[in-house]
Amino acid sequence: MKPLLGTLYLLGMLVPGGLGYDSEEYRVQCLSERNSNRNQGQANGLPVDSHSLPWLFQIYQWMSQISEKYREVVTQHLLGTTYENRTMYYLKISQPSNNTKKIIWMDCGIHAREWIAPAFCQWFVKEILQNYKENPRISKFLRNLDFYVLPVFNIDGYIYTWTTDRLWRKSRSSHNNGTCFGTDLNRNFNASWCSTGASKNCEDLIFCGTGPVSEPETKALSSFIESRKKNILCFLTMHSYGQLILTPYGYTQDKASNHEELIRFGQKAANALKAKHGTNYRVGSSVDILYATSGSSRDWARDIGIPFSYTFELRDNGTYGFVLPAAQIQPTCEETMEAVLSILDDVYAKYWQSNSARKVTSATAGLILLMSFSSLL
Amino acid sequence: MMTDPKRGCEVDLVFSTERYDLKEDEDQVGKCSARVFYKNEKPRPAVNVTCTRLIEKKKTQEEDYLLYKQLKQLRAPLDVGSIPDSHGHIDPSLRPIWDLAFLGSSYVMWEKTTQSLHYYLAQLNSVKQWKTNDDAIDFDYIVLLHEFPTQEIIPCRIHLIWFPGKPLKVKYHCQELQTPEEASGTEEGSAVALTESSNF
């Protein structure tokens, strides 16, 4: 992984310009270190190398390079624009075929300070692309599934964690005549909006916004998902930290109609994750094992009919929290990959195993007929 | 777990402990059981804990003294940036600072924890050390506590004084959004009659 990622970053440095994206501005900002008043986390002007979490500029470079390198299956698309007018891009991984595909959605970095999450989105894409030809497990998925990956959802916030405040969480929308900044995008969705576990005070870190889907980022994702909801099987939203696989709901103790199945698939995923490096994850509904929340993207996705909707809270358990050491990036990504693949296995089997059984049956029937016919000759 | 709105909330725990620095020399895993009582959503829960198979007292004394020497060797005044840095890195020479800061912060976190609020140490800032006449370690620093479920980052200025074998002395002031807090002792907690340093 390291050499590949290192190469990609090096390519990133050599390729000039951005993608309609003001990269020069961010290089300059990256060099200055400014303290914020209230939250005193400092951005550290460390040079970014292949062993540390990627800077947004590099993420955009990487997106364009990987789309180019694997252009037979990858395309880059516009999702929408952020509050500060930055473009939100997602990657679509799709093997050309005549099949109508179902969709797996993954987004990372809805909360700015959760840096390991965008790193995982990148890792996931890399793993799929490097292995889809030779690895039967992955090539099987691509027969009937398309992957849509949004590596950084809250771009404005993410940049802010690099330039100003490492522990920023929210977006960077302006409120109260510029005295108050940021909405918690994961409280801004139209799922029992602001009913519990959220705040109407713009100073708070769980500020739900001025109304459901008030934020441009939320709007962009919501319209996109809404328009394709009939074809989306899986909605995975990646966060840190806590080592949890969360099912709906956060806003009520009531369970989703497929709750048992969600838990079963989730538990298998946690077991697969643990088998990799021994890391323990807990599985449960958000309100049961974490705390009450309303307006989350995961709950909203389930409510509009997407059957398998999960929040992942990645490493660690609080020792380093958001500032996860670079040495843990790769093992975290490897184990999380096992968990996601496990869920994909279960989802795939649920929808396509019976079809393949029928195919085998009709093939067998055909063979018997042929043999019977040839025995008559 | 028992919740009685009139009395409070009692939690029985069984847990194991491991070395904080995760050094795997002996397979030393402590076994503990504890009863924690929160009175009426108040902070500073009463804690009754018993552990077996903890590290031998002699060894902890040795390690305390080693930590003390490492801290004494650091030049005063210290002026370091965030620990860990944005990428989770702690310079090995600064690790003792983190360890001691973590210890002092755990006291502050206990003082603030209620049945619905809990904390983790997110980051350490602005460490300064002064020499004291009696050769104790004197640390003044700011920690950022990550508060659940509000997700807030609470800056707390902590002043701790430590000498191996003596109880840790902690004074602190946390910058609250709504209600500013002073150092321990001004608020009635759940725990009965605990002095500021008795648990350490």
Side-chain angles (χ1 to χ4, degrees):
Chain A
M1 173 266 191
K2 281 177 202 163
L4 175 67
L5 215 50
T7 309
L8 288 172
Y9 288 169
L10 194 60
L11 280 172
M13 292 308 165
L14 295 172
V15 173
L19 301 148
Y21 184 78
D22 195 352
S23 51
E24 194 58 38
E25 180 194 333
Y26 300 108
R27 271 196 282 266
V28 169
Q29 282 193 328
C30 197
L31 292 172
S32 75
E33 279 179 51
R34 300 197 309 267
N35 286 324
S36 70
N37 288 335
R38 194 164 75 79
N39 294 314
Q40 296 183 42
Q42 281 179 21
N44 201 311
L46 282 180
V48 182
D49 62 1
S50 64
H51 303 285
S52 53
L53 294 162
W55 169 225
L56 185 72
F57 170 63
Q58 292 173 317
I59 293 184
Y60 276 78
Q61 290 288 5
W62 167 83
M63 283 179 87
S64 98
Q65 279 145 28
I66 211 152
S67 313
E68 180 54 35
K69 180 169 183 183
Y70 294 97
R71 71 182 89 91
E72 70 278 7
V73 288
V74 183
T75 43
Q76 184 173 332
H77 303 265
L78 182 68
L79 187 75
T81 333
T82 67
Y83 182 85
E84 290 178 337
N85 251 318
R86 297 188 176 94
T87 37
M88 301 167 73
Y89 290 112
Y90 67 92
L91 291 172
K92 175 180 173 181
I93 304 175
S94 175
Q95 189 142 46
S97 89
N98 292 326
N99 288 358
T100 346
K101 311 279 193 55
K102 292 294 184 182
I103 296 169
I104 306 293
W105 169 269
M106 183 187 293
D107 64 76
C108 297
I110 188 171
H111 290 139
R113 58 195 180 193
E114 299 167 9
W115 283 9
I116 187 63
F120 176 71
C121 266
Q122 284 191 283
W123 180 272
F124 178 79
V125 167
K126 171 195 75 79
E127 281 294 303
I128 299 291
L129 295 175
Q130 281 184 342
N131 296 300
Y132 81 94
K133 284 181 184 153
E134 279 93 41
N135 183 323
R137 190 186 190 188
I138 295 177
S139 60
K140 171 188 78 180
F141 293 147
L142 284 177
R143 258 182 260 141
N144 290 295
L145 294 171
D146 288 344
F147 292 99
Y148 289 62
V149 181
L150 176 64
V152 187
F153 183 170
N154 178 10
I155 297 170
D156 297 347
Y158 187 70
I159 287 174
Y160 197 74
T161 60
W162 279 85
T163 60
T164 313
D165 182 352
R166 175 61 179 86
L167 298 175
W168 190 259
R169 166 183 169 91
K170 301 187 287 181
S171 69
R172 290 294 300 164
S173 53
S174 171
H175 304 277
N176 282 10
N177 285 328
T179 60
C180 206
F181 289 90
T183 297
D184 184 342
L185 296 174
N186 205 34
R187 302 286 185 278
N188 190 236
F189 283 80
N190 194 9
S192 193
W193 178 78
C194 229
S195 61
T196 181
S199 168
K200 292 244 169 99
N201 182 343
C202 65
E203 284 179 4
D204 290 345
L205 263 62
I206 48 175
F207 174 51
C208 52
T210 50
V213 204
S214 58
E215 305 305 304
E217 296 90 346
T218 324
K219 275 194 184 66
L221 192 147
S222 294
S223 337
F224 181 85
I225 300 286
E226 180 78 50
S227 65
R228 289 163 179 77
K229 64 185 177 187
K230 290 199 176 70
N231 286 321
I232 304 178
L233 290 183
C234 231
F235 183 92
L236 305 174
T237 180
M238 313 303 286
H239 294 239
S240 76
Y241 56 91
Q243 296 175 199
L244 305 167
I245 296 175
L246 301 171
T247 68
Y249 289 98
Y251 67 79
T252 174
Q253 302 265 12
D254 294 347
K255 301 297 180 257
S257 57
N258 63 338
H259 175 74
E260 263 135 38
E261 196 173 44
L262 281 165
I263 294 291
R264 197 164 18 101
F265 289 8
Q267 195 52 63
K268 274 179 72 181
N271 297 343
L273 188 152
K274 182 170 176 161
K276 191 74 185 173
H277 296 300
T279 310
N280 284 309
Y281 267 57
R282 288 183 296 139
V283 181
S285 82
S286 192
V287 72
D288 286 344
I289 68 169
L290 190 57
Y291 43 70
T293 56
S294 58
S296 72
S297 63
R298 173 212 60 236
D299 286 351
W300 172 78
R302 186 65 194 86
D303 279 345
I304 60 166
I306 296 170
F308 294 96
S309 187
Y310 292 97
T311 305
F312 276 71
E313 294 279 358
L314 303 182
R315 283 200 201 178
D316 59 14
N317 249 333
T319 309
Y320 290 93
F322 301 119
V323 284
L324 194 69
Q328 291 196 43
I329 300 172
Q330 181 163 341
T332 304
C333 288
E334 287 171 342
E335 65 193 15
T336 310
M337 190 70 194
E338 291 304 319
V340 173
L341 288 175
S342 168
I343 289 181
L344 293 174
D345 277 337
D346 284 337
V347 170
Y348 192 90
K350 180 183 169 74
Y351 292 95
W352 284 281
Q353 216 75 304
S354 48
N355 282 344
S356 62
R358 278 203 293 277
K359 278 193 195 138
V360 167
T361 312
S362 50
T364 313
L367 194 60
I368 291 170
L369 278 172
L370 187 63
M371 286 170 68
S372 322
F373 188 67
S374 61
S375 72
L376 291 171
L377 296 170
Chain B
M1 184 166 102
M2 253 176 41
T3 308
D4 177 343
K6 288 178 198 154
R7 284 181 68 231
C9 166
E10 190 175 87
V11 185
D12 283 334
L13 292 169
V14 173
F15 57 97
S16 56
T17 63
E18 60 186 6
R19 285 184 63 104
Y20 174 68
D21 57 10
L22 297 176
K23 260 189 226 160
E24 286 173 54
D25 42 17
E26 308 108 59
D27 227 340
Q28 197 82 33
V29 173
K31 301 285 183 202
C32 302
S33 63
R35 174 160 284 181
V36 181
F37 179 64
Y38 297 94
K39 186 175 178 182
N40 296 334
E41 287 279 350
K42 287 212 190 295
R44 288 193 270 152
V47 180
N48 257 316
V49 57
T50 41
C51 294
T52 57
R53 291 185 57 211
L54 291 178
I55 298 173
E56 274 179 3
K57 190 161 186 181
K58 183 161 172 279
K59 187 143 203 298
T60 54
Q61 279 172 347
E62 281 169 11
E63 296 202 11
D64 276 1
Y65 191 64
L66 186 64
L67 177 65
Y68 172 77
K69 278 206 303 186
Q70 287 170 333
L71 290 163
K72 271 296 170 195
Q73 267 158 28
L74 294 166
R75 293 233 187 117
L78 278 172
D79 203 3
V80 299
S82 300
I83 301 173
D85 68 18
S86 287
H87 301 270
H89 176 70
I90 303 176
D91 193 285
S93 67
L94 300 177
R95 183 75 204 207
I97 298 180
W98 169 260
D99 289 344
L100 193 60
F102 199 97
L103 183 61
S105 307
S106 68
Y107 175 75
V108 176
M109 290 191 275
W110 168 74
E111 285 246 323
K112 293 170 65 58
T113 298
T114 68
Q115 64 197 79
S116 37
L117 282 176
H118 65 273
Y119 300 87
Y120 292 96
L121 178 56
Q123 218 173 21
L124 169 62
N125 281 354
S126 320
V127 178
K128 293 193 192 340
Q129 177 186 19
W130 287 272
K131 288 196 169 84
T132 51
N133 292 334
D134 59 1
D135 243 2
I137 302 291
D138 189 312
F139 260 132
D140 197 312
Y141 56 98
I142 296 173
V143 288
L144 302 175
L145 298 184
H146 178 205
E147 183 177 82
F148 279 76
T150 63
Q151 294 296 329
E152 295 291 337
I153 300 294
I154 315 284
C156 295
R157 182 162 184 180
I158 301 179
H159 183 205
L160 72 80
I161 296 171
W162 178 59
F163 193 86
K166 293 196 177 142
L168 195 70
K169 288 200 176 113
V170 179
K171 283 195 165 70
Y172 70 93
H173 174 84
C174 291
Q175 188 184 315
E176 296 287 1
L177 297 173
Q178 283 92 30
T179 49
E181 262 181 29
E182 282 302 325
S184 63
T186 59
E187 202 184 303
E188 188 199 279
S190 313
V192 178
L194 277 168
T195 64
E196 70 174 288
S197 56
S198 67
N199 268 1
F200 294 91

